[in-house]
Amino acid sequence: MSKLKVSELFYSIQGEGRFSGVPSVFLRTFGCNFTCSGFGMPKGQLSNERDVIAINALAGTYKQYKDLPLVSTGCDSYASWDVRFKHLSPVLKTEAIAEAIVDTLPFKEWRDEHLIITGGEPLLGWQRAYPDLLDDPKMDNLKELTFETNGTQPLSDDLKKYLFSKKQLNVTFSVSPKLSVSGEKWEEAIQPKIVKEYEWFGSAYLKFVIASEEDCNEALKATDDYRKEGFKGPVYLMPCGGVESVYALNNKRVALLAMKHGLRYSDRLQVPLFKNAWGT
């Protein structure tokens, strides 16, 4: 039986992208290849908000993941990859995870709900555990699966074979490539060949987090690179802002930019509805 290091597991509605508003179970795995410390910061600067929180976490101030403070800059799911918080994310067998997933469902069985595997970056080393998880008898009636990924990780041969064999499972790759506003490097973050390959095993779309017209122009440039590689999926613009005060500064501007360029707009429903609290 495989194991996963789990940061969060909760039932909510999908707040972003193609399936916005759909009741979903979110399985957040631990670990990421990026830090995204530039979000919400002046150009060229990186957030250190999580550093202060980490000092208190290592001192034992926070006993549970859900007790951690939210941040207004940097990655809003910082505790799902920063090793200073790894003691708050247990390693669980896939059998126990499947049981916990189904237990969060309102009728204790799959109906219209989706499963969202997110992170961190869920397509790192944890790929090897997903076939065991999805083959658990408790997952038999699952019809819709989304991987929320930054689009830099190739699918393993084993996961490719598995997804190709699961004809009854609709797989979506919600790809959020990191622009310079995130603080990550273009040559590391924009990987069109990898994302194009996702389309062989499910549907895929791009979802760019932006705060300004400059960010939008960068998203358009990235989109051109993906299109040149043959990527066919839709493209969304989504406002930067993990807390309501920042989100409210950006959402209308980003919606207007999406309209101007004929792109789709993605809200972040978890921010106005639930204040982006852990477990939402």
Side-chain angles (χ1 to χ4, degrees), residues 16-19 172-175 203-207 231 233-234 236:
E16 305 172 1
R18 176 183 175 188
F19 296 112
T172 301
F173 295 89
S174 174
V175 183
S203 62
Y205 62 86
L206 303 178
K207 185 179 62 182
F231 178 77
Y236 291 79

Side-chain angles (χ1 to χ4, degrees), residues 66-242:
K66 66 181 182 179
D67 295 333
L68 293 167
L70 302 178
V71 294
S72 58
T73 57
C75 174
D76 59 358
S77 57
Y78 63 92
S80 69
W81 54 264
D82 191 317
V83 295
R84 294 173 292 182
F85 303 95
K86 67 179 182 180
H87 60 290
L88 300 176
S89 297
V91 175
L92 302 174
K93 292 182 178 179
T94 51
E95 182 180 27
I97 296 170
E99 184 173 353
I101 285 173
V102 173
D103 192 54
T104 68
L105 297 172
F107 301 102
K108 310 307 177 188
E109 63 180 15
W110 293 104
R111 294 190 178 182
D112 188 43
E113 302 88 0
H114 291 199
L115 174 62
I116 316 297
I117 301 182
T118 187
E121 174 46 56
L123 295 180
L124 289 172
W126 302 122
Q127 290 190 44
R128 63 186 180 273
Y130 298 143
D132 276 351
L133 173 64
L134 297 169
D135 275 343
D136 188 281
K138 295 182 178 63
M139 309 294 282
D140 281 351
N141 293 321
L142 174 68
K143 297 295 188 293
E144 297 281 352
L145 168 66
T146 294
F147 290 104
E148 292 186 335
T149 173
N150 59 32
T152 65
Q153 302 302 305
L155 300 179
S156 68
D157 288 342
D158 287 344
L159 187 57
K160 288 177 186 177
K161 291 176 184 176
Y162 180 80
L163 294 178
F164 189 75
S165 71
K166 298 290 283 188
K167 302 298 184 183
Q168 77 280 15
L169 187 62
N170 296 315
V171 179
T172 301
F173 295 89
S174 174
V175 183
S176 183
K178 305 309 175 189
L179 302 174
S180 61
V181 66
S182 71
E184 302 299 334
K185 296 178 180 178
W186 178 280
E187 59 271 21
E188 296 175 1
I190 307 303
Q191 300 289 336
K193 288 185 179 180
I194 290 174
V195 173
K196 170 57 185 171
E197 187 181 53
Y198 294 166
E199 290 189 303
W200 285 98
F201 304 95
S203 62
Y205 62 86
L206 303 178
K207 185 179 62 182
F208 293 102
V209 176
I210 72 170
S212 67
E213 188 151 13
E214 181 182 357
D215 298 335
C216 179
N217 291 335
E218 194 174 324
L220 294 172
K221 179 178 181 293
T223 297
D224 285 343
D225 286 354
Y226 286 101
R227 295 294 189 218
K228 288 174 184 176
E229 196 59 44
F231 178 77
K232 303 295 185 185
V235 178
Y236 291 79
L237 300 183
M238 187 172 75
C240 182

Side-chain angles (χ1 to χ4, degrees), residues 262-279:
L263 301 176
R264 301 186 184 190
Y265 171 75
S266 172
D267 211 334
R268 307 186 75 179
L269 294 178
Q270 69 273 25
V271 179
L273 290 180
F274 306 119
K275 314 307 177 189
N276 206 26
W278 304 112

